[in-house]
Amino acid sequence: MDKFTLSCCAETMFTDLSIVERVKKISELGFLPELWDWTNHDIDALASTGVEFSSMTGYIEGDFLENSDRLIASIHESVAAAKKLGVPRLNLHGTGLDNKGLPVNPRLVVSGRDWIKAYKVLSGIAEIGAQNDVMFVLENLNLKVDHPGTPFATAEDVFSLVSEVNHPNLKMMLDLYHQQIDEGNILDSLTRYLPHIGEIQIADVPGRQEPGTGEMNYPAIAQHLRKIGYKGVVGFEGFPSDDPRLALERFEKAFN
């Protein structure tokens, strides 16, 4: 049985260690570390570890609709940081998020003109990815619990935008924790989204902890991913219920 490449979020694991020590620990345990806001970290120190990363946030500020010029400028800054670290995937959201995960520019109603603007901005971002040999991944977010008011948040929204742009350097960061809260229907959507998935993130519902702590049947999801031929990374973007090492063992057991 082929094993999935597994990653985990360095921002939420082994938080008693420095970020440099965290990424080393995660790598030693056989996982690829992922980063959130790279501006909070010493990029040169992280690069000196020689660790292979999976993804990081691909922008600093801005959004598709009201501050797209600043978004693009910060994307170029993020690409430069990603190249230092060798990060292959840069994560995007429908709008900038504050330190509480809330949208900087909330939008309860998204117009047809908004969709067109987002499509045009994402098309340009995909070209930046092609020019720099990196993939941008647009993440779905839940509206009911963690990120109310975020435009283009649902997995269906993200799929619509990414599939319409239809560019190899723009894919979905499909977060199954977020999708379960707002939409469900995980297995059928995985099959439909497959050609446009750049990476999958997971955590259990409720609580956003490791597999086995909530309602989601991650071994069945893993079996379905093998059945449909998914070959990409699966990342645990959640919080350990207790010991981080035990949480990673449970994650590993659910998928491999």
Side-chain angles (χ1 to χ4, degrees):
M1 180 178 66
D2 292 337
K3 289 190 173 184
F4 293 109
T5 299
L6 301 182
S7 67
C8 75
C9 181
E11 313 285 352
T12 62
M13 306 295 290
F14 303 107
T15 54
D16 57 323
L17 303 177
S18 71
I19 192 67
V20 169
E21 292 171 322
R22 288 183 219 176
V23 300
K24 287 180 178 179
K25 172 70 74 175
I26 290 167
S27 180
E28 289 168 1
L29 292 173
F31 301 85
L32 304 180
E34 300 191 354
L35 300 172
W36 284 345
D37 183 357
W38 60 269
T39 64
N40 292 328
H41 307 310
D42 184 334
I43 297 301
D44 290 333
L46 287 171
S48 70
T49 64
V51 165
E52 180 183 357
F53 292 85
S54 180
S55 68
M56 72 180 200
T57 301
Y59 68 104
I60 304 166
E61 57 187 356
D63 58 69
F64 300 153
L65 302 178
E66 298 179 33
N67 297 291
S68 59
D69 289 344
R70 180 55 192 138
L71 175 68
I72 296 300
S74 75
I75 278 173
H76 283 292
E77 295 175 60
S78 299
V79 167
K83 285 186 174 182
K84 282 188 176 182
L85 295 177
V87 177
R89 283 172 294 278
L90 297 176
N91 200 26
L92 305 171
H93 307 108
T95 184
L97 302 176
D98 65 19
N99 58 9
K100 295 181 180 179
L102 298 176
V104 175
N105 293 309
R107 190 172 292 247
L108 299 179
V109 177
V110 180
S111 69
R113 183 173 295 179
D114 292 337
W115 280 93
I116 293 169
K117 177 69 180 292
Y119 166 80
K120 290 180 178 178
V121 172
L122 282 168
S123 296
I125 291 171
E127 288 301 323
I128 295 172
Q131 293 162 12
N132 291 279
D133 195 28
V134 295
M135 178 187 292
F136 286 94
V137 283
L138 181 59
E139 182 182 3
N140 61 298
L141 302 171
N142 79 76
L143 298 171
K144 293 178 180 177
V145 176
D146 298 298
H147 308 285
T150 302
F152 314 110
T154 68
E156 280 295 301
D157 290 344
V158 170
F159 173 69
S160 295
L161 283 169
V162 169
S163 61
E164 189 66 28
V165 174
N166 195 27
H167 193 290
N169 293 85
L170 179 71
K171 299 287 186 180
M172 300 178 71
M173 174 67 86
L174 182 59
D175 191 307
L176 301 186
Y177 161 80
H178 291 305
Q179 186 183 3
Q180 175 71 1
I181 290 172
D182 273 5
E183 302 158 271
N185 196 33
I186 300 294
L187 300 188
D188 284 348
S189 62
L190 281 170
T191 302
R192 189 157 49 92
Y193 298 162
L194 181 64
H196 298 284
I197 297 174
E199 184 176 332
I200 290 172
Q201 291 182 334
I202 70 99
D204 218 332
V205 177
R208 203 171 186 174
Q209 296 175 333
E210 71 269 14
T213 58
E215 69 191 20
M216 298 187 72
N217 188 345
Y218 275 116
I221 291 171
Q223 183 179 10
H224 184 74
L225 287 171
R226 288 192 176 87
K227 178 181 176 181
I228 63 176
Y230 178 70
K231 302 295 184 182
V233 173
V234 178
F236 172 43
E237 192 193 32
F239 300 88
S241 61
D242 187 11
D243 176 63
R245 188 185 292 266
L246 177 59
L248 291 178
E249 288 176 359
R250 290 170 172 166
F251 172 40
E252 171 85 36
K253 183 177 180 181
F255 280 87
N256 284 333

Short mmCIF file of all heavy atoms in Angstrom, two decimals, residues 49-113:
data_model
loop_
_atom_site.label_atom_id
_atom_site.label_comp_id
_atom_site.label_asym_id
_atom_site.label_seq_id
_atom_site.Cartn_x
_atom_site.Cartn_y
_atom_site.Cartn_z
N THR A 49 18.28 25.10 8.54
CA THR A 49 17.99 23.75 9.05
C THR A 49 18.08 22.70 7.95
O THR A 49 18.26 21.52 8.24
CB THR A 49 16.59 23.69 9.68
OG1 THR A 49 15.60 23.92 8.65
CG2 THR A 49 16.43 24.72 10.78
N GLY A 50 17.88 23.11 6.69
CA GLY A 50 17.87 22.15 5.60
C GLY A 50 16.62 21.29 5.55
O GLY A 50 16.55 20.32 4.78
N VAL A 51 15.61 21.64 6.34
CA VAL A 51 14.38 20.86 6.42
C VAL A 51 13.54 21.06 5.16
O VAL A 51 13.48 22.17 4.60
CB VAL A 51 13.57 21.26 7.68
CG1 VAL A 51 12.15 20.76 7.62
CG2 VAL A 51 14.28 20.73 8.92
N GLU A 52 12.88 20.02 4.71
CA GLU A 52 11.95 20.11 3.58
C GLU A 52 10.58 20.54 4.12
O GLU A 52 10.02 19.89 5.00
CB GLU A 52 11.82 18.77 2.87
CG GLU A 52 10.86 18.80 1.69
CD GLU A 52 10.68 17.46 1.02
OE1 GLU A 52 11.34 16.48 1.45
OE2 GLU A 52 9.86 17.35 0.09
N PHE A 53 10.05 21.63 3.58
CA PHE A 53 8.75 22.15 3.99
C PHE A 53 7.67 21.75 2.99
O PHE A 53 7.96 21.38 1.84
CB PHE A 53 8.78 23.68 4.09
CG PHE A 53 9.64 24.21 5.20
CD1 PHE A 53 11.01 24.39 5.04
CD2 PHE A 53 9.08 24.52 6.44
CE1 PHE A 53 11.79 24.89 6.06
CE2 PHE A 53 9.86 25.01 7.47
CZ PHE A 53 11.23 25.19 7.27
N SER A 54 6.42 21.84 3.43
CA SER A 54 5.29 21.54 2.56
C SER A 54 4.62 22.80 2.03
O SER A 54 4.41 22.95 0.83
CB SER A 54 4.26 20.67 3.27
OG SER A 54 3.18 20.39 2.40
N SER A 55 4.24 23.71 2.93
CA SER A 55 3.56 24.92 2.48
C SER A 55 3.71 26.02 3.51
O SER A 55 4.15 25.78 4.64
CB SER A 55 2.06 24.64 2.25
OG SER A 55 1.40 24.37 3.47
N MET A 56 3.34 27.23 3.11
CA MET A 56 3.30 28.36 4.03
C MET A 56 2.32 29.38 3.47
O MET A 56 1.91 29.29 2.30
CB MET A 56 4.69 28.99 4.20
CG MET A 56 5.18 29.76 3.01
SD MET A 56 6.82 30.46 3.30
CE MET A 56 6.84 31.75 2.04
N THR A 57 1.94 30.35 4.29
CA THR A 57 1.05 31.39 3.82
C THR A 57 1.74 32.19 2.73
O THR A 57 2.89 32.59 2.86
CB THR A 57 0.63 32.31 4.98
OG1 THR A 57 -0.02 31.52 5.98
CG2 THR A 57 -0.33 33.38 4.50
N GLY A 58 1.00 32.45 1.64
CA GLY A 58 1.60 33.04 0.45
C GLY A 58 1.38 34.52 0.29
O GLY A 58 1.65 35.07 -0.78
N TYR A 59 0.90 35.20 1.31
CA TYR A 59 0.69 36.64 1.24
C TYR A 59 0.81 37.22 2.64
O TYR A 59 0.78 36.48 3.63
CB TYR A 59 -0.68 36.97 0.65
CG TYR A 59 -1.84 36.59 1.53
CD1 TYR A 59 -2.54 37.54 2.25
CD2 TYR A 59 -2.23 35.25 1.68
CE1 TYR A 59 -3.61 37.19 3.08
CE2 TYR A 59 -3.29 34.89 2.51
CZ TYR A 59 -3.97 35.86 3.20
OH TYR A 59 -5.01 35.51 4.03
N ILE A 60 0.95 38.54 2.72
CA ILE A 60 1.06 39.21 4.01
C ILE A 60 -0.22 39.98 4.31
O ILE A 60 -0.76 39.93 5.40
CB ILE A 60 2.27 40.17 4.02
CG1 ILE A 60 3.55 39.42 3.67
CG2 ILE A 60 2.40 40.85 5.38
CD1 ILE A 60 4.72 40.33 3.34
N GLU A 61 -0.69 40.70 3.32
CA GLU A 61 -1.92 41.47 3.47
C GLU A 61 -2.55 41.70 2.11
O GLU A 61 -1.97 41.33 1.08
CB GLU A 61 -1.64 42.82 4.16
CG GLU A 61 -0.62 43.67 3.45
CD GLU A 61 -0.26 44.92 4.23
OE1 GLU A 61 -0.87 45.14 5.30
OE2 GLU A 61 0.64 45.65 3.79
N GLY A 62 -3.74 42.29 2.11
CA GLY A 62 -4.46 42.50 0.87
C GLY A 62 -5.50 41.42 0.64
O GLY A 62 -5.61 40.45 1.39
N ASP A 63 -6.30 41.60 -0.41
CA ASP A 63 -7.34 40.63 -0.74
C ASP A 63 -7.68 40.74 -2.22
O ASP A 63 -7.14 41.57 -2.94
CB ASP A 63 -8.59 40.85 0.12
CG ASP A 63 -9.16 42.26 -0.03
OD1 ASP A 63 -9.68 42.55 -1.11
OD2 ASP A 63 -9.08 43.05 0.93
N PHE A 64 -8.58 39.88 -2.68
CA PHE A 64 -8.93 39.84 -4.10
C PHE A 64 -9.72 41.07 -4.56
O PHE A 64 -9.70 41.40 -5.74
CB PHE A 64 -9.79 38.61 -4.40
CG PHE A 64 -9.14 37.30 -4.10
CD1 PHE A 64 -9.91 36.19 -3.78
CD2 PHE A 64 -7.76 37.15 -4.13
CE1 PHE A 64 -9.32 34.97 -3.50
CE2 PHE A 64 -7.16 35.94 -3.86
CZ PHE A 64 -7.95 34.84 -3.54
N LEU A 65 -10.44 41.71 -3.63
CA LEU A 65 -11.45 42.68 -4.04
C LEU A 65 -11.08 44.13 -3.78
O LEU A 65 -11.19 44.97 -4.67
CB LEU A 65 -12.78 42.34 -3.34
CG LEU A 65 -13.32 40.94 -3.59
CD1 LEU A 65 -14.61 40.71 -2.81
CD2 LEU A 65 -13.55 40.70 -5.08
N GLU A 66 -10.64 44.46 -2.56
CA GLU A 66 -10.45 45.86 -2.20
C GLU A 66 -8.99 46.29 -2.18
O GLU A 66 -8.69 47.48 -2.32
CB GLU A 66 -11.09 46.12 -0.83
CG GLU A 66 -12.60 45.90 -0.81
CD GLU A 66 -13.20 46.15 0.56
OE1 GLU A 66 -12.70 47.02 1.28
OE2 GLU A 66 -14.18 45.45 0.91
N ASN A 67 -8.09 45.35 -1.97
CA ASN A 67 -6.66 45.67 -1.88
C ASN A 67 -5.83 44.69 -2.69
O ASN A 67 -4.85 44.12 -2.21
CB ASN A 67 -6.21 45.66 -0.41
CG ASN A 67 -6.90 46.71 0.43
OD1 ASN A 67 -6.66 47.90 0.26
ND2 ASN A 67 -7.78 46.28 1.33
N SER A 68 -6.22 44.50 -3.94
CA SER A 68 -5.55 43.49 -4.75
C SER A 68 -4.12 43.90 -5.10
O SER A 68 -3.24 43.04 -5.25
CB SER A 68 -6.34 43.19 -6.02
OG SER A 68 -6.50 44.36 -6.80
N ASP A 69 -3.85 45.21 -5.23
CA ASP A 69 -2.48 45.64 -5.53
C ASP A 69 -1.54 45.28 -4.39
O ASP A 69 -0.43 44.80 -4.62
CB ASP A 69 -2.44 47.15 -5.78
CG ASP A 69 -3.09 47.55 -7.10
OD1 ASP A 69 -3.31 46.66 -7.94
OD2 ASP A 69 -3.39 48.75 -7.27
N ARG A 70 -1.99 45.50 -3.15
CA ARG A 70 -1.16 45.14 -2.00
C ARG A 70 -1.04 43.63 -1.89
O ARG A 70 0.02 43.11 -1.50
CB ARG A 70 -1.75 45.73 -0.71
CG ARG A 70 -0.94 45.41 0.54
CD ARG A 70 0.51 45.84 0.41
NE ARG A 70 1.35 45.30 1.47
CZ ARG A 70 2.56 44.81 1.30
NH1 ARG A 70 3.11 44.78 0.09
NH2 ARG A 70 3.26 44.33 2.31
N LEU A 71 -2.09 42.92 -2.22
CA LEU A 71 -2.03 41.46 -2.21
C LEU A 71 -0.93 40.97 -3.16
O LEU A 71 -0.09 40.14 -2.78
CB LEU A 71 -3.38 40.88 -2.62
CG LEU A 71 -3.43 39.35 -2.79
CD1 LEU A 71 -3.25 38.65 -1.45
CD2 LEU A 71 -4.73 38.92 -3.44
N ILE A 72 -0.92 41.47 -4.37
CA ILE A 72 0.07 41.02 -5.35
C ILE A 72 1.48 41.38 -4.91
O ILE A 72 2.41 40.58 -5.03
CB ILE A 72 -0.24 41.63 -6.74
CG1 ILE A 72 -1.60 41.13 -7.26
CG2 ILE A 72 0.87 41.30 -7.72
CD1 ILE A 72 -1.70 39.63 -7.43
N ALA A 73 1.64 42.60 -4.36
CA ALA A 73 2.97 42.99 -3.88
C ALA A 73 3.45 42.07 -2.77
O ALA A 73 4.62 41.64 -2.75
CB ALA A 73 2.93 44.44 -3.39
N SER A 74 2.55 41.73 -1.84
CA SER A 74 2.95 40.86 -0.74
C SER A 74 3.16 39.42 -1.19
O SER A 74 3.93 38.67 -0.58
CB SER A 74 1.93 40.93 0.41
OG SER A 74 0.74 40.25 0.12
N ILE A 75 2.49 39.02 -2.27
CA ILE A 75 2.73 37.70 -2.85
C ILE A 75 4.15 37.61 -3.39
O ILE A 75 4.84 36.59 -3.20
CB ILE A 75 1.67 37.40 -3.93
CG1 ILE A 75 0.39 36.89 -3.26
CG2 ILE A 75 2.19 36.39 -4.96
CD1 ILE A 75 -0.78 36.71 -4.20
N HIS A 76 4.62 38.66 -4.05
CA HIS A 76 6.00 38.65 -4.54
C HIS A 76 6.99 38.55 -3.37
O HIS A 76 7.99 37.83 -3.47
CB HIS A 76 6.27 39.92 -5.36
CG HIS A 76 5.70 39.88 -6.74
ND1 HIS A 76 6.17 39.03 -7.72
CD2 HIS A 76 4.69 40.59 -7.30
CE1 HIS A 76 5.49 39.22 -8.84
NE2 HIS A 76 4.58 40.15 -8.62
N GLU A 77 6.71 39.23 -2.27
CA GLU A 77 7.56 39.12 -1.09
C GLU A 77 7.55 37.70 -0.54
O GLU A 77 8.59 37.16 -0.12
CB GLU A 77 7.09 40.09 -0.01
CG GLU A 77 7.23 41.56 -0.37
CD GLU A 77 6.64 42.46 0.70
OE1 GLU A 77 7.11 42.40 1.85
OE2 GLU A 77 5.69 43.21 0.41
N SER A 78 6.38 37.08 -0.55
CA SER A 78 6.24 35.71 -0.04
C SER A 78 6.96 34.72 -0.93
O SER A 78 7.56 33.75 -0.43
CB SER A 78 4.76 35.35 0.08
OG SER A 78 4.10 36.22 0.97
N VAL A 79 6.91 34.94 -2.23
CA VAL A 79 7.62 34.06 -3.16
C VAL A 79 9.12 34.09 -2.87
O VAL A 79 9.79 33.04 -2.87
CB VAL A 79 7.33 34.46 -4.62
CG1 VAL A 79 8.31 33.77 -5.58
CG2 VAL A 79 5.90 34.09 -4.99
N ALA A 80 9.66 35.27 -2.60
CA ALA A 80 11.09 35.38 -2.29
C ALA A 80 11.43 34.59 -1.03
O ALA A 80 12.46 33.89 -0.99
CB ALA A 80 11.47 36.85 -2.12
N ALA A 81 10.57 34.67 -0.02
CA ALA A 81 10.81 33.90 1.21
C ALA A 81 10.69 32.40 0.93
O ALA A 81 11.47 31.59 1.45
CB ALA A 81 9.83 34.32 2.29
N ALA A 82 9.71 32.03 0.13
CA ALA A 82 9.49 30.61 -0.18
C ALA A 82 10.70 30.02 -0.91
O ALA A 82 11.07 28.86 -0.68
CB ALA A 82 8.23 30.45 -1.03
N LYS A 83 11.29 30.81 -1.78
CA LYS A 83 12.46 30.30 -2.51
C LYS A 83 13.62 30.04 -1.57
O LYS A 83 14.38 29.08 -1.75
CB LYS A 83 12.85 31.30 -3.60
CG LYS A 83 11.92 31.30 -4.80
CD LYS A 83 12.42 32.21 -5.91
CE LYS A 83 11.57 32.07 -7.15
NZ LYS A 83 12.06 32.92 -8.27
N LYS A 84 13.79 30.87 -0.54
CA LYS A 84 14.85 30.64 0.44
C LYS A 84 14.64 29.33 1.18
O LYS A 84 15.60 28.62 1.51
CB LYS A 84 14.89 31.79 1.45
CG LYS A 84 15.56 33.05 0.95
CD LYS A 84 15.73 34.06 2.08
CE LYS A 84 16.48 35.29 1.62
NZ LYS A 84 16.70 36.26 2.73
N LEU A 85 13.38 29.01 1.44
CA LEU A 85 13.06 27.81 2.22
C LEU A 85 12.80 26.59 1.33
O LEU A 85 12.71 25.47 1.85
CB LEU A 85 11.82 28.07 3.08
CG LEU A 85 11.94 29.12 4.17
CD1 LEU A 85 10.60 29.30 4.87
CD2 LEU A 85 13.02 28.75 5.17
N GLY A 86 12.64 26.81 0.04
CA GLY A 86 12.28 25.70 -0.85
C GLY A 86 10.85 25.24 -0.67
O GLY A 86 10.54 24.06 -0.87
N VAL A 87 9.95 26.15 -0.28
CA VAL A 87 8.54 25.81 -0.07
C VAL A 87 7.83 25.74 -1.42
O VAL A 87 7.83 26.73 -2.16
CB VAL A 87 7.85 26.85 0.85
CG1 VAL A 87 6.37 26.52 1.00
CG2 VAL A 87 8.52 26.88 2.21
N PRO A 88 7.19 24.62 -1.75
CA PRO A 88 6.58 24.48 -3.08
C PRO A 88 5.17 25.02 -3.21
O PRO A 88 4.71 25.27 -4.32
CB PRO A 88 6.58 22.97 -3.30
CG PRO A 88 6.44 22.40 -1.91
CD PRO A 88 7.18 23.34 -1.01
N ARG A 89 4.44 25.17 -2.07
CA ARG A 89 3.04 25.60 -2.12
C ARG A 89 2.82 26.81 -1.22
O ARG A 89 3.22 26.78 -0.05
CB ARG A 89 2.11 24.46 -1.71
CG ARG A 89 1.91 23.40 -2.80
CD ARG A 89 1.13 22.20 -2.28
NE ARG A 89 1.90 21.48 -1.27
CZ ARG A 89 2.85 20.59 -1.57
NH1 ARG A 89 3.15 20.31 -2.82
NH2 ARG A 89 3.50 19.97 -0.59
N LEU A 90 2.16 27.82 -1.78
CA LEU A 90 1.89 29.05 -1.05
C LEU A 90 0.38 29.20 -0.90
O LEU A 90 -0.36 29.24 -1.88
CB LEU A 90 2.47 30.25 -1.80
CG LEU A 90 4.00 30.25 -1.93
CD1 LEU A 90 4.47 31.43 -2.76
CD2 LEU A 90 4.66 30.28 -0.57
N ASN A 91 -0.05 29.32 0.35
CA ASN A 91 -1.48 29.27 0.67
C ASN A 91 -2.13 30.65 0.62
O ASN A 91 -1.58 31.64 1.09
CB ASN A 91 -1.64 28.67 2.07
CG ASN A 91 -3.03 28.13 2.32
OD1 ASN A 91 -3.74 27.77 1.39
ND2 ASN A 91 -3.43 28.08 3.57
N LEU A 92 -3.35 30.69 0.06
CA LEU A 92 -4.14 31.91 -0.05
C LEU A 92 -5.51 31.71 0.59
O LEU A 92 -5.99 30.59 0.72
CB LEU A 92 -4.36 32.27 -1.53
CG LEU A 92 -3.15 32.42 -2.43
CD1 LEU A 92 -3.60 32.57 -3.88
CD2 LEU A 92 -2.30 33.61 -2.00
N HIS A 93 -6.14 32.84 0.96
CA HIS A 93 -7.53 32.83 1.43
C HIS A 93 -8.32 33.86 0.64
O HIS A 93 -7.75 34.71 -0.04
CB HIS A 93 -7.59 33.18 2.93
CG HIS A 93 -6.72 32.33 3.79
ND1 HIS A 93 -5.57 32.81 4.38
CD2 HIS A 93 -6.83 31.04 4.15
CE1 HIS A 93 -5.00 31.83 5.07
NE2 HIS A 93 -5.74 30.74 4.95
N GLY A 94 -9.64 33.81 0.78
CA GLY A 94 -10.49 34.75 0.07
C GLY A 94 -10.30 36.19 0.49
O GLY A 94 -10.60 37.10 -0.27
N THR A 95 -9.77 36.40 1.66
CA THR A 95 -9.43 37.75 2.14
C THR A 95 -8.37 37.61 3.21
O THR A 95 -8.12 36.53 3.73
CB THR A 95 -10.67 38.47 2.72
OG1 THR A 95 -10.30 39.81 3.09
CG2 THR A 95 -11.20 37.76 3.94
N GLY A 96 -7.73 38.72 3.52
CA GLY A 96 -6.78 38.69 4.62
C GLY A 96 -7.49 38.37 5.93
O GLY A 96 -8.65 38.74 6.14
N LEU A 97 -6.80 37.67 6.82
CA LEU A 97 -7.34 37.30 8.13
C LEU A 97 -6.56 38.01 9.22
O LEU A 97 -5.33 38.12 9.14
CB LEU A 97 -7.28 35.78 8.34
CG LEU A 97 -8.00 34.92 7.30
CD1 LEU A 97 -7.75 33.45 7.59
CD2 LEU A 97 -9.49 35.21 7.30
N ASP A 98 -7.26 38.46 10.27
CA ASP A 98 -6.56 39.09 11.38
C ASP A 98 -6.03 38.03 12.34
O ASP A 98 -6.12 36.82 12.07
CB ASP A 98 -7.47 40.11 12.09
CG ASP A 98 -8.69 39.46 12.77
OD1 ASP A 98 -8.68 38.24 13.01
OD2 ASP A 98 -9.64 40.20 13.06
N ASN A 99 -5.49 38.46 13.49
CA ASN A 99 -4.86 37.50 14.40
C ASN A 99 -5.86 36.61 15.14
O ASN A 99 -5.48 35.71 15.88
CB ASN A 99 -3.96 38.22 15.41
CG ASN A 99 -4.70 39.25 16.25
OD1 ASN A 99 -5.93 39.33 16.21
ND2 ASN A 99 -3.96 40.04 17.01
N LYS A 100 -7.16 36.85 14.92
CA LYS A 100 -8.19 35.98 15.45
C LYS A 100 -8.83 35.11 14.37
O LYS A 100 -9.81 34.40 14.62
CB LYS A 100 -9.28 36.81 16.14
CG LYS A 100 -8.79 37.57 17.37
CD LYS A 100 -9.91 38.36 18.04
CE LYS A 100 -9.40 39.10 19.27
NZ LYS A 100 -10.49 39.89 19.91
N GLY A 101 -8.28 35.17 13.16
CA GLY A 101 -8.81 34.38 12.05
C GLY A 101 -10.03 34.98 11.40
O GLY A 101 -10.69 34.32 10.60
N LEU A 102 -10.34 36.23 11.72
CA LEU A 102 -11.52 36.89 11.15
C LEU A 102 -11.11 37.69 9.93
O LEU A 102 -10.00 38.24 9.86
CB LEU A 102 -12.18 37.78 12.19
CG LEU A 102 -12.71 37.06 13.43
CD1 LEU A 102 -13.25 38.05 14.44
CD2 LEU A 102 -13.78 36.04 13.05
N PRO A 103 -12.00 37.81 8.95
CA PRO A 103 -11.64 38.52 7.72
C PRO A 103 -11.40 40.00 7.96
O PRO A 103 -12.15 40.65 8.68
CB PRO A 103 -12.85 38.29 6.81
CG PRO A 103 -13.98 37.97 7.74
CD PRO A 103 -13.36 37.25 8.89
N VAL A 104 -10.33 40.52 7.37
CA VAL A 104 -10.03 41.94 7.49
C VAL A 104 -11.11 42.77 6.79
O VAL A 104 -11.50 43.83 7.26
CB VAL A 104 -8.64 42.23 6.90
CG1 VAL A 104 -8.35 43.73 6.90
CG2 VAL A 104 -7.56 41.50 7.70
N ASN A 105 -11.58 42.26 5.67
CA ASN A 105 -12.67 42.91 4.93
C ASN A 105 -13.83 41.94 4.78
O ASN A 105 -13.99 41.30 3.74
CB ASN A 105 -12.18 43.37 3.56
CG ASN A 105 -11.16 44.49 3.64
OD1 ASN A 105 -11.39 45.48 4.31
ND2 ASN A 105 -10.03 44.32 2.98
N PRO A 106 -14.65 41.79 5.84
CA PRO A 106 -15.76 40.83 5.76
C PRO A 106 -16.76 41.22 4.68
O PRO A 106 -16.96 42.40 4.39
CB PRO A 106 -16.39 40.92 7.16
CG PRO A 106 -15.97 42.24 7.69
CD PRO A 106 -14.62 42.52 7.11
N ARG A 107 -17.37 40.21 4.09
CA ARG A 107 -18.34 40.45 3.02
C ARG A 107 -19.40 39.37 3.10
O ARG A 107 -19.12 38.20 2.81
CB ARG A 107 -17.63 40.45 1.68
CG ARG A 107 -18.49 40.92 0.51
CD ARG A 107 -17.65 41.06 -0.74
NE ARG A 107 -16.70 42.14 -0.63
CZ ARG A 107 -16.73 43.25 -1.37
NH1 ARG A 107 -17.70 43.41 -2.26
NH2 ARG A 107 -15.81 44.17 -1.24
N LEU A 108 -20.58 39.73 3.50
CA LEU A 108 -21.66 38.77 3.66
C LEU A 108 -22.33 38.43 2.33
O LEU A 108 -22.89 37.35 2.17
CB LEU A 108 -22.70 39.30 4.66
CG LEU A 108 -22.18 39.56 6.08
CD1 LEU A 108 -23.30 40.10 6.95
CD2 LEU A 108 -21.59 38.28 6.67
N VAL A 109 -22.26 39.35 1.38
CA VAL A 109 -22.84 39.12 0.05
C VAL A 109 -21.74 39.34 -0.98
O VAL A 109 -21.07 40.38 -0.97
CB VAL A 109 -24.02 40.07 -0.22
CG1 VAL A 109 -24.55 39.85 -1.63
CG2 VAL A 109 -25.13 39.86 0.80
N VAL A 110 -21.53 38.35 -1.84
CA VAL A 110 -20.52 38.44 -2.89
C VAL A 110 -21.25 38.59 -4.23
O VAL A 110 -22.04 37.73 -4.60
CB VAL A 110 -19.61 37.20 -2.89
CG1 VAL A 110 -18.56 37.31 -3.98
CG2 VAL A 110 -18.95 37.02 -1.53
N SER A 111 -20.97 39.66 -4.94
CA SER A 111 -21.67 39.96 -6.19
C SER A 111 -21.02 39.27 -7.37
O SER A 111 -19.90 38.76 -7.29
CB SER A 111 -21.68 41.48 -6.42
OG SER A 111 -20.37 41.93 -6.72
N GLY A 112 -21.71 39.29 -8.49
CA GLY A 112 -21.14 38.76 -9.73
C GLY A 112 -19.88 39.50 -10.12
O GLY A 112 -18.90 38.90 -10.59
N ARG A 113 -19.87 40.81 -9.90
CA ARG A 113 -18.67 41.61 -10.19
C ARG A 113 -17.51 41.17 -9.30
O ARG A 113 -16.35 41.15 -9.75
CB ARG A 113 -18.98 43.08 -9.99
CG ARG A 113 -17.83 44.02 -10.34
CD ARG A 113 -18.27 45.47 -10.28
NE ARG A 113 -19.28 45.74 -11.31
CZ ARG A 113 -19.86 46.93 -11.47
NH1 ARG A 113 -19.54 47.93 -10.66
NH2 ARG A 113 -20.76 47.11 -12.41
#
